[in-house]
Amino acid sequence: MTVTKEKPTQQSATQTATAQRYNGPARDGDWVNYQDTITSLYLDQNKSLKEVMRIMREEYYFFATEKMYKIRFNKWGLHKKLRAHQVAELLVQRGKRAAIGKTSVSFVHGRKVDADRLNTYLRRVSPARRKELEAILSGRSELSAAQRRSIEIICRTPSPEPEPEPVPRRLEAPDGLRLPEECVQIVYSYVSGAFDGALFRTTSNNELVFPVRGKTWLDPVSSARQLFVNGFTEQAFRMLKITFDDFKAVMTRQDPSLIVETCLALGALLYCGPGLAESLVNYGHNMSRIVFSPRHPLHLLFARLKGASRDDIARFASMIMQSYLQAVQRASRLKPTYLATLYRGMLNSNFIEAPEVEAHMQRLLEDLEAGTPNLDPGPNPSPTPSPDTYSSPKLAKDAQMLRYHVEWMRTLHGSPTEAAAAARSLKETRKVDPRLARFGCYNMLRTLPTSALGPAERVALLRASLDICEADFGRHDNATVTLLATLQGCLRRAGNVHEADAVRREFEIRWDEVWQGLEGEGGEGGEGEGEGDGEGDGEGGADR
């Protein structure tokens, strides 16, 4: 009797291959690696869970039980059916847009949700879910941390209807137009959720509360910028490492200043050297995915900045920062002096033009004076009203600071004498306002290369400023040591080689102590309970 061997069927071959590749159930790292693939299959391609399991098993040799998938779906916020907290956020966003006459098209986790689907949910929702929805909308119920993480909603104006004639395929808007709009929508969604979820707090008079911090994480950015200019590349990169480590701490806390400081840091790094701003974007993209989730608004922002050109990073950062300020001021108040420092920071990063900054500051000053009951400017107001003119010493100080910024923009910004004026500001404000004095120091360093001063005058200016910084800030302060590095460069360019070598040796001795001190802090300065004003120190950011 002849025995014939049956040829293995395709199914048996697949099973054999699968058995050969089976390495046990999926581990945490496997879930991370295949998260985008699973999400695409389940949501974008609308596969059932069993279909997803089969495709992942047969095509990717990814083995997991149905229960394991469901646990991961809950963790990632993957749900085909709308949830009550998502519907509540949809209704809020669509209602706000409808109030200003805008039509809306909505997306939840990238999937379009039309009005019919929303109405169907409201019509069929159970009484228990309806009560939950009403409680969220009325503010009686707060969203859990998991619910806040699962909200990824974008509402935007619908694209115009295409012409009736047939087209080969739907043309997508170019990235240069689509990405900025998406960034703005993500920012508004994030700010709205931050206030609704009590992540951002306000005072009794609706002023936004900032955490109390000794220094901002941007101070090392300012120092690194000057170190690069003066040839201390190794020290500059080590200073940037401190910046990145501190950035992680600020991101974890989600300070209200996080977005504006990130944008200003990108603006400063664009002028430090090629690839540095892109490195911060990549670091923020990876860190936000670890700290939050792939669907968190902050991660979505970094995802849109990732891969952008230098010009696009500057353009997107400017748009993100301005839309963030607009969104925050719809729900709270920001100190006028804080806004003034931000505007100057945006100017130094080339995000906005000088006339626009001056106009913003003039409006802030006018609003402050108009809102002060005891202030009547009269037909010929004095340029420096006495403190008694204002209803409180705090308002008097704020008005004085705004007048300082306005006058600076009108008479000194961009002029050849700006560096000398900044040095005078350092000297005059050292005992009155240390933060303004520190800004004067960094502003002098930034504008010195374009000043009208000769080599000897620059050296004299730096020596006088160094004496002040050593006395007021300390011999091992960031600003002091950065000023010492700049002095070394000026001496060398002036031909004083021996003196420059001596200053360089002094810099290297102090630098080691500065570095040890920064590493010992293990994070971004001090933080405490209470109400901060959002202002700090340094030339590179919101601390102007």
Side-chain angles (χ1 to χ4, degrees), residues 119 277 312 411 432 470:
N119 291 333
D312 281 343
T411 61
V432 179
E470 287 180 339

Side-chain angles (χ1 to χ4, degrees), residues 153-165:
I153 293 174
I154 295 177
C155 285
R156 67 185 186 198
T157 303
S159 301
E161 290 295 329
E163 294 295 330
E165 59 265 15

